[in-house]
Amino acid sequence: MEHVKDSKTGSSGSPIQLTANYFRILSRPQWVLYQYHVDYKPPMESRRLRSALLFQHEEALGSARSFDGALLFLPHRLHSKETVLHSETRNGEKVQITVTLTNELPPTSPVCIQFYNIIFRRILRILNMQQIGRNYYNPDYAFNIPQHKLTIWPGYTTAILHYEHSIMLSIDVSHRVLRSETVLDFMGSLRQQCGNQRFPEICAKELIGLIVLTKYNNKTYRIDDIAWDHSPNNTFKRGDSDISFKNYYKSVGVSHSTQVLLVSHVKRLGPAGAPPPGPAMLIPELCYLTGLTDKMRADFTIMKDLSGHTKLTPEQREERLNKFVMNIQKDADAQAELDKWGLNFDKMLLNLNGRVLPAEKIFQGSRSWAKEMRGMSLISSPPLDNWIIFHTRRNGNEAQSLLQTLQKVSGPLGIHIKRPIMVQYEDQQESLLRSLQQNVGPQMQMVVVVLPNNRKDKYDSVKKYLCVDCPVSSQCVISRTLSRPHTLMTVATKIAMQMVCKMGGELWSVEIPLKHLMIVGIDCYHDTTAGKRSIGALVASLNQSMSRWFSKCVLQHKGQEIMDGLKMALSAALRDYLKFNNCLPSRIIVYRDGVGDGQLHSVVNYEVTQIMDSINLSFIIIVVVVKKRISSRFFARIEGNTTNPPPGTVIDSDVTRPEWYDFYIVSQAVRVGSVSPTHYNVVYDTSGLKPDHMQRLTYKLCHMYYNWQVVNFLYLEPNVLLDDLLFYL
């Protein structure tokens, strides 16, 4: 990418002063990390024994050291390149240790960066924080929500990396939601609800795939199976003798001897040369459920009470981050550990410059709008002549209210709606499916189903029938959503627009200056709970206004992220583009979602190769990796207050990576909490587009997802979001 070799930053937009959740790492001048290889004669198998023998020589090595069993890291150089030490085991065996200098690592080397992260994890442990998964949490400052039997552990997600001009600690506030009930409590209440006969089947369905926490060691495990034929009285090998699970956990106490055991296939390493150990067997009584169920997420009261603790305003988030670094500097043990290595952290969050891109004009019908659009005609809307509404007897009033409001809002939007067929069904899944089979045919344009609740199995059965068995456009709506008169106009407007989209209509557009452009979105979905095969999805734009899309799904191996069937899917998209436009695109921009940093080379070497095989060499190709779940946060100082940056804020310096062509865009506003930016990394580019043009085009596309009607709720390109929707159909 020669065109960004000299500069990968843009210049358009108005400047804005920002603060980011990064702290610079400060080290003494000419700081170097010395790497040594350690040999033992005779060889020692036990890593713990190797460490104990080596650390007998603190006088020669110093107190600052890091040893993984083979490699030793020191902040200073030993007198000789090869140092020979002599130790003795408890059994009186003489051991010769040879410490050989193998490398001098500058602060920016990958090994050094990894070492920084190891040292920082030590600091977190010194502060009495507990590791759960990849992050560290502080149980001493837990928030209890007794009315919902929930506990929140506050913590931090951290990473030290080499950024544009310096090595920095990226840190963000994290929360772990724990439930006060154990797995045994959950199983007991489940047995009461469903009875003994169906209990094993329903219990496996509810538990397998969940993450549990064992408080005796603060570790998390994924439940992979239930050992119905095991109990705490079963034994396992411990050393040379057998011990029961009940006796093994005697210190924490096991009171129910008849409970079954849970199976977790954790990745564990056994002794060298020995067969790998089996799965971890967990006792339900000692396992606490983590996270939220779908039922909890649907409960407004629970989510509101949780958000009071977890959704921090920019000011609260900034205050908590500053307080955390201050605690490190005040803690004598933590500071002593950093001083040993000649390291420290900046006391202030990183200040940097951003830019706010100009607001985009959105065209609807013959006019443009900024916010209010209910009274304006859509670009195109097919007439809705043959459609049907299904409802239960209990929800008949809500269905009538929906119909009347749809007729009221459709006129100003330019949607011609005839009166539908109204069908009443019994509030049972079988009755609903039977009603669909009897009343829906291939000539039907739209099926609207008013569901009495948000039960997933009922929704899934509707979508399966109307997507697979009898493909017809459909719209499901929960009756509770229609029972609030003050929001019914807004709800009906959104439903009307979704129905128009599903029938092939176009709502609005933005000006796209590049002609003959195809935008492609690619993502992969992994259903880990059901253990099913992964699905790769591709969507591609078919017209200049980016309002019509091609889509295709490809089945892949379980857990596979890199997409195999890309060549076939893109070739089909190009055929549709040719049919729609009577010509092929001259530019293809691919937005690739869901790829980790370690897979970037695979995307370039494997997926880009498939793209190139699908087209001729005259095409201009750009591949952009999109990351939504990132820990970067940016804060703006406006009128003396710490607030979220406005939509359209671009950050392309300081917190970008020197080896990448990347940038961040804040493309939405939020009413509660801190805004999440999206990270874009251009990994392949033959276009020669300036960074300004790439950033402006990406921001324009953020306006083209029809499920959100105002710029305040923009998040990602429509192609990335459409990929996500494809997976659930």
Side-chain angles (χ1 to χ4, degrees):
M1 293 185 280
E2 291 294 322
H3 63 290
V4 292
K5 195 172 182 181
D6 296 330
S7 174
K8 56 182 183 178
T9 59
S11 57
S12 64
S14 53
I16 183 172
Q17 283 288 323
L18 301 171
T19 306
N21 60 332
Y22 292 81
F23 291 92
R24 285 192 178 91
I25 290 186
L26 310 174
S27 60
R28 59 174 175 250
Q30 284 93 44
W31 190 92
V32 175
L33 184 67
Y34 296 92
Q35 177 181 304
Y36 292 85
H37 187 269
V38 183
D39 282 315
Y40 293 81
K41 192 175 181 181
M44 297 285 119
E45 288 293 332
S46 168
R47 176 178 165 179
R48 184 176 293 180
L49 179 58
R50 291 199 298 267
S51 299
L53 293 171
L54 181 66
F55 293 166
Q56 289 176 8
H57 303 279
E58 184 173 323
E59 196 173 307
L61 302 175
S63 59
R65 59 188 180 245
S66 180
F67 182 57
D68 66 0
L71 295 178
L72 172 68
F73 295 97
L74 299 174
H76 59 272
R77 182 170 181 157
L78 298 178
H79 296 299
S80 304
K81 186 175 181 180
E82 185 175 285
T83 304
V84 178
L85 306 169
H86 297 277
S87 294
E88 187 175 320
T89 66
R90 289 181 180 178
N91 300 329
E93 184 181 8
K94 305 286 186 183
V95 180
Q96 178 180 302
I97 304 173
T98 305
V99 182
T100 308
L101 178 66
T102 56
N103 215 342
E104 296 183 11
L105 302 166
T108 56
S109 73
V111 175
C112 223
I113 298 296
Q114 185 181 4
F115 173 76
Y116 286 145
N117 284 283
I118 292 169
I119 294 297
F120 191 72
R121 284 196 287 271
R122 280 190 200 170
I123 301 298
L124 294 172
R125 287 193 291 271
I126 289 171
L127 295 175
N128 295 320
M129 299 191 75
Q130 304 289 339
Q131 184 177 7
I132 300 179
R134 295 181 179 180
N135 301 332
Y136 281 79
Y137 298 89
N138 196 334
D140 296 335
Y141 293 95
F143 309 111
N144 288 312
I145 309 178
Q147 65 271 31
H148 306 306
K149 296 182 179 179
L150 295 175
T151 302
I152 302 172
W153 282 14
Y156 299 92
T157 171
T158 64
I160 296 175
L161 289 169
H162 183 209
Y163 293 95
E164 207 66 56
H165 304 299
S166 58
I167 299 166
M168 292 190 286
L169 165 70
S170 167
I171 179 167
D172 192 28
V173 177
S174 175
H175 296 91
R176 190 78 184 195
V177 178
L178 308 176
R179 290 190 244 168
S180 303
E181 62 178 339
T182 65
V183 175
L184 186 63
D185 297 333
F186 179 79
M187 293 172 79
S189 59
L190 199 63
R191 187 187 290 272
Q192 288 180 348
Q193 292 173 24
C194 63
N196 291 331
Q197 189 174 354
R198 297 185 61 209
F199 173 69
E201 177 195 347
I202 294 176
C203 185
K205 188 177 179 181
E206 291 287 336
L207 286 180
I208 291 176
L210 294 185
I211 305 297
V212 295
L213 172 75
T214 50
K215 289 189 178 179
Y216 52 81
N217 61 357
N218 280 322
K219 286 190 176 180
T220 54
Y221 300 87
R222 182 182 183 274
I223 300 176
D224 294 306
D225 202 353
I226 301 174
W228 297 102
D229 55 346
H230 281 60
S231 75
N233 293 323
N234 281 77
T235 60
F236 65 95
K237 209 80 173 170
R238 188 189 185 195
D240 297 328
S241 59
D242 290 338
I243 185 172
S244 70
F245 289 96
K246 188 172 182 177
N247 288 334
Y248 181 77
Y249 290 108
K250 195 173 183 180
S251 59
V252 289
V254 177
S255 55
H256 294 78
S257 299
T258 57
Q259 60 187 304
V260 298
L261 299 186
L262 309 174
V263 181
S264 179
H265 296 296
V266 293
K267 295 177 181 176
R268 297 186 295 174
L269 296 175
M281 306 298 287
L282 307 172
I283 297 179
E285 187 181 348
L286 305 178
C287 297
Y288 287 81
L289 294 163
T290 68
L292 301 173
T293 63
D294 291 338
K295 187 178 179 182
M296 288 177 171
R297 293 182 192 279
D299 190 313
F300 175 78
T301 307
I302 292 177
M303 297 309 291
K304 184 181 178 183
D305 292 342
L306 274 175
S307 66
H309 296 288
T310 59
K311 289 194 174 180
L312 304 179
T313 65
E315 193 169 7
Q316 290 171 326
R317 192 176 292 267
E318 191 178 81
E319 182 184 346
R320 195 175 288 187
L321 296 176
N322 283 322
K323 187 178 178 181
F324 175 72
V325 169
M326 197 181 298
N327 287 341
I328 292 177
Q329 292 171 341
K330 283 182 178 178
D331 190 284
D333 294 334
Q335 203 57 46
E337 182 68 25
L338 288 170
D339 290 342
K340 281 195 301 188
W341 294 96
L343 300 172
N344 215 329
F345 294 99
D346 202 340
K347 295 180 181 179
M348 302 293 292
L349 286 167
L350 177 72
N351 292 312
L352 71 163
N353 296 316
R355 292 174 289 111
V356 182
L357 298 177
E360 290 294 333
K361 266 190 176 180
I362 300 177
F363 298 94
Q364 183 174 323
S366 58
R367 294 180 288 172
S368 65
W369 57 271
K371 188 173 181 181
E372 182 59 51
M373 45 72 64
R374 187 180 291 155
M376 300 168 64
S377 293
L378 306 177
I379 292 177
S380 69
S381 170
L384 185 53
D385 299 327
N386 188 9
W387 64 301
I388 189 168
I389 296 180
F390 289 88
H391 63 89
T392 62
R393 182 176 59 82
R394 189 176 176 183
N395 301 135
N397 291 336
E398 285 86 351
Q400 288 295 335
S401 298
L402 173 63
L403 175 59
Q404 291 167 12
T405 315
L406 280 174
Q407 291 170 334
K408 191 182 296 184
V409 301
S410 60
L413 291 171
I415 309 170
H416 301 286
I417 297 181
K418 285 190 177 180
R419 185 166 183 83
I421 302 167
M422 305 292 287
V423 176
Q424 183 176 302
Y425 67 92
E426 295 296 323
D427 188 8
Q428 293 175 350
Q429 188 170 320
E430 296 78 11
S431 173
L432 173 55
L433 192 57
R434 192 163 50 249
S435 295
L436 289 170
Q437 292 167 344
Q438 292 170 355
N439 294 280
V440 178
Q443 75 285 353
M444 195 69 68
Q445 288 178 277
M446 175 63 61
V447 176
V448 177
V449 181
V450 179
L451 296 170
N453 52 49
N454 61 351
R455 273 182 51 185
K456 187 176 182 297
D457 56 347
K458 193 172 286 187
Y459 174 83
D460 287 349
S461 67
V462 171
K463 286 297 182 181
K464 181 179 181 296
Y465 181 76
L466 296 175
C467 288
V468 179
D469 301 332
C470 181
V472 176
S473 299
S474 61
Q475 179 69 44
C476 293
V477 57
I478 299 170
S479 61
R480 187 180 60 191
T481 310
L482 305 174
S483 62
R484 305 173 187 134
H486 61 286
T487 62
L488 193 53
M489 285 286 283
T490 302
V491 170
T493 302
K494 291 181 179 180
I495 290 173
M497 295 172 75
Q498 288 186 31
M499 289 163 61
V500 168
C501 289
K502 290 172 181 179
M503 293 189 298
E506 300 171 67
L507 306 188
W508 63 75
S509 66
V510 294
E511 184 184 359
I512 305 290
L514 296 177
K515 306 302 178 187
H516 305 297
L517 171 67
M518 175 188 270
I519 299 293
V520 176
I522 301 171
D523 197 4
C524 290
Y525 171 72
H526 315 287
D527 191 348
T528 53
T529 56
K532 296 176 182 175
R533 292 174 67 181
S534 296
I535 301 171
L538 177 143
V539 296
S541 63
L542 297 176
N543 62 347
Q544 176 64 26
S545 58
M546 307 296 162
S547 57
R548 292 184 178 274
W549 296 84
F550 164 90
S551 64
K552 190 169 184 65
C553 289
V554 179
L555 287 174
Q556 305 202 136
H557 294 297
K558 181 181 173 182
Q560 181 180 335
E561 180 60 47
I562 301 302
M563 193 166 167
D564 271 333
L566 182 54
K567 180 179 177 180
M568 177 188 66
L570 186 56
S571 298
L574 288 169
R575 286 195 295 271
D576 270 31
Y577 188 98
L578 178 61
K579 194 184 300 181
F580 198 87
N581 299 279
N582 295 319
C583 68
L584 287 169
S586 57
R587 290 183 175 90
I588 298 176
I589 301 180
V590 178
Y591 287 92
R592 178 62 162 96
D593 191 22
V595 176
D597 294 349
Q599 295 176 304
L600 292 177
H601 288 295
S602 298
V603 169
V604 175
N605 297 333
Y606 189 63
E607 291 191 346
V608 172
T609 302
Q610 290 188 70
I611 293 171
M612 300 305 291
D613 288 345
S614 308
I615 60 177
N616 60 53
L617 296 178
S618 63
F619 283 76
I620 293 170
I621 303 293
I622 303 175
V623 179
V624 186
V625 171
V626 184
K627 286 175 73 175
K628 307 185 291 286
R629 294 182 181 89
I630 57 175
S631 58
S632 298
R633 295 290 182 271
F634 301 101
F635 316 113
R637 197 82 178 163
I638 300 174
E639 296 179 356
N641 298 317
T642 302
T643 65
N644 286 311
T649 300
V650 173
I651 301 96
D652 57 5
S653 64
D654 294 285
V655 293
T656 52
R657 302 282 287 276
E659 70 273 22
W660 293 350
Y661 168 23
D662 60 329
F663 56 90
Y664 297 83
I665 294 182
V666 175
S667 52
Q668 85 274 28
V670 293
R671 293 191 179 98
V672 181
S674 304
V675 71
S676 296
T678 305
H679 181 251
Y680 301 90
N681 184 10
V682 184
V683 296
Y684 187 85
D685 187 357
T686 62
S687 71
L689 274 182
K690 294 178 181 178
D692 260 332
H693 298 158
M694 191 70 228
Q695 294 164 7
R696 287 289 301 273
L697 176 63
T698 299
Y699 184 52
K700 282 175 180 288
L701 292 172
C702 290
H703 295 72
M704 289 304 297
Y705 184 57
Y706 289 151
N707 250 7
W708 288 305
Q709 278 77 35
V710 292
V711 74
N712 284 356
F713 292 91
L714 299 175
Y715 188 38
L716 282 170
E717 298 73 26
N719 43 299
V720 173
L721 289 161
L722 287 170
D723 275 336
D724 290 341
L725 290 177
L726 265 180
F727 297 134
Y728 299 101
L729 294 177

